[in-house]
Each structure stands twice: as structure tokens, then as C-alpha cells.
């Protein structure tokens, strides 16, 4: 009776240890993915800041050039300003589209797949 109980305790200790190792590896994977996500976020923020600065500069120069050209052809100032506003809004919409696509690509699917594999992943490994 005592040997059976000792064996069960040893088996339980091994089971607990294996579960601790598994949990540690999963949490390590989550921590690694979080580090990658934070680094990617910082890079994305820096890139967006640089893009915004350069685009503002470029658009101001382009709008000023187009306005000067339109003024020389006799367009009214109001129509020039309305066209400049429209072009600026369209460019902002384009930037929002690019940023939204980048954010969609930043996810935790690798950790989720490690925890709960898809049916496709299970059938491919079999």
C-alpha cells in the first residue's frame, strides 16, 4: 500500500513538473512574442512619424507648386484651396489604410497556435 502511494506521489510530482515546464515554455513564447510586438510597435511609430513629416513637407511643396501654377492660369483662390484640401484628405485616407493594414499584421497567432492548434495543423502533423 505504501509503495503504491509513494509511486502515485512520484507520478504526480513528475506530472506537475512536466506541466510546469510546459507552462514555462508557453509563457516564454508569449513573452518573446510580446517583445517582438513592442519592438515592431516602436518601429512602426518611428516610421509613421518620419512618413508624416516627409509627407507634410512634400505635400506643402506640391500644393504650393500646384497653387502657383493654377493661379498663373487664372483659377480663383477659393477653388485652389478647395482642391488642396481634397488632395490632403485623400492622402490622409491612404496613410490610414496603410497603417490599418500594418496593425492587422501585428497579432499573437503564433502563441495561440502553440496553445490551441488548428484542425489543419493537427491533420498536417499526422
Amino acid at each position: 500500500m505504501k509503495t503504491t502511494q509513494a509511486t502515485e506521489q512520484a507520478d504526480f510530482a513528475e506530472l506537475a513538473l512536466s506541466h510546469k515546464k510546459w507552462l514555462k515554455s508557453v509563457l516564454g513564447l508569449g513573452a518573446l512574442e510580446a517583445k517582438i510586438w513592442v519592438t515592431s510597435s516602436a518601429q512602426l511609430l518611428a516610421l509613421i512619424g518620419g512618413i508624416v513629416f516627409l509627407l507634410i513637407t512634400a505635400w506643402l511643396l506640391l500644393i504650393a507648386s500646384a497653387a502657383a501654377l493654377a493661379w498663373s492660369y487664372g483659377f480663383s483662390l477659393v477653388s485652389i484651396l478647395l482642391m488642396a484640401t481634397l488632395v490632403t484628405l485623400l492622402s490622409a485616407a491612404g496613410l490610414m489604410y496603410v497603417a490599418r493594414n500594418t496593425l492587422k499584421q501585428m497579432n499573437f497567432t503564433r502563441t495561440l497556435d502553440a496553445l490551441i492548434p488548428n484542425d489543419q495543423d493537427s491533420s498536417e502533423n499526422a
Side-chain angles (χ1 to χ4, degrees):
M1 188 71 158
K2 282 189 174 183
T3 57
T4 305
Q5 188 177 10
T7 305
E8 287 177 3
Q9 286 178 347
D11 289 343
F12 182 75
E14 281 184 39
L15 180 65
L17 183 62
S18 69
H19 277 76
K20 285 180 185 177
K21 286 181 181 178
W22 174 80
L23 184 61
K24 184 177 180 181
S25 67
V26 168
L27 290 176
L29 178 62
L32 179 63
E33 194 158 338
K35 286 179 186 178
I36 292 170
W37 194 86
V38 167
T39 304
S40 297
S41 297
Q43 288 176 347
L44 180 66
L45 185 62
L47 286 172
I48 287 175
I51 288 169
V52 167
F53 177 76
L54 290 175
L55 282 175
I56 287 172
T57 304
W59 280 118
L60 286 174
L61 291 171
L62 184 64
I63 289 171
S65 300
L69 184 64
W71 183 263
S72 71
Y73 280 108
F75 283 90
S76 70
L77 184 59
V78 173
S79 64
I80 293 171
L81 291 176
L82 287 175
M83 287 304 293
T85 302
L86 179 66
V87 168
T88 303
L89 290 175
L90 289 175
S91 64
L95 281 175
M96 286 177 57
Y97 174 76
V98 171
R100 195 172 293 151
N101 281 343
T102 303
L103 289 173
K104 281 181 186 177
Q105 294 173 1
M106 295 171 55
N107 57 28
F108 289 98
T109 56
R110 289 180 292 269
T111 302
L112 184 62
D113 289 342
L115 291 173
I116 306 169
N118 293 338
D119 291 338
Q120 295 173 347
D121 295 339
S122 301
S123 63
E124 288 175 5
N125 292 335

